[in-house]
Amino acid sequence: MSSKSSRDELLTKLNLETSRISWHDLQTYYARGHVVRVEPDLDLLDVAAELAADNTAQFQQWMADNRIGDVAPERAQAWYDEKTELWAVVVAPWVLVQDRSDHVLH
């Protein structure tokens, strides 16, 4: 099996496991430090695939650019207060979340 077909299969699997979830439902994972914020300009599935592939260099670059990272307490409180729904996908033990509420979809 080629690496392209393996990646395609992984993306398909991740896509099926991606859904919207209330921030309230993620409190346990947030408290454990297992939630990773993904900025809306990134493709959530690509980020999940790179995490699954353990692509450290890419993650370090995204972190340096503040495109992924921890959820700041202020943002977490705002999401909680506003009952925000986020897009999420699990790449154990991490839960990748993305707030697309202000992002225009094409």
Side-chain angles (χ1 to χ4, degrees), residues 49-102:
E50 294 301 327
L51 179 59
D54 198 25
N55 187 343
T56 305
Q58 179 62 71
F59 263 75
Q60 288 175 337
Q61 184 62 53
W62 283 330
M63 289 171 65
D65 295 340
N66 197 31
R67 296 175 75 198
I68 66 165
D70 293 334
V71 177
E74 302 79 22
R75 184 176 290 192
Q77 186 64 53
W79 284 346
Y80 188 88
D81 293 344
E82 296 165 8
K83 298 181 172 109
T84 302
E85 280 197 343
L86 304 164
W87 282 101
V89 63
V90 174
V91 180
W94 308 105
V95 180
L96 300 156
V97 298
Q98 189 173 54
D99 182 4
R100 298 190 61 86
S101 58
D102 293 335

Side-chain angles (χ1 to χ4, degrees), residues 19-67:
S19 67
R20 293 185 60 81
I21 187 169
S22 168
W23 178 245
H24 285 207
D25 294 332
L26 294 170
Q27 294 307 291
T28 302
Y29 302 97
Y30 176 68
R32 291 180 184 153
H34 290 172
V35 176
V36 177
R37 168 192 48 82
V38 177
E39 288 299 303
D41 63 313
L42 291 174
D43 184 306
L44 185 61
L45 295 178
D46 284 340
V47 174
E50 294 301 327
L51 179 59
D54 198 25
N55 187 343
T56 305
Q58 179 62 71
F59 263 75
Q60 288 175 337
Q61 184 62 53
W62 283 330
M63 289 171 65
D65 295 340
N66 197 31
R67 296 175 75 198

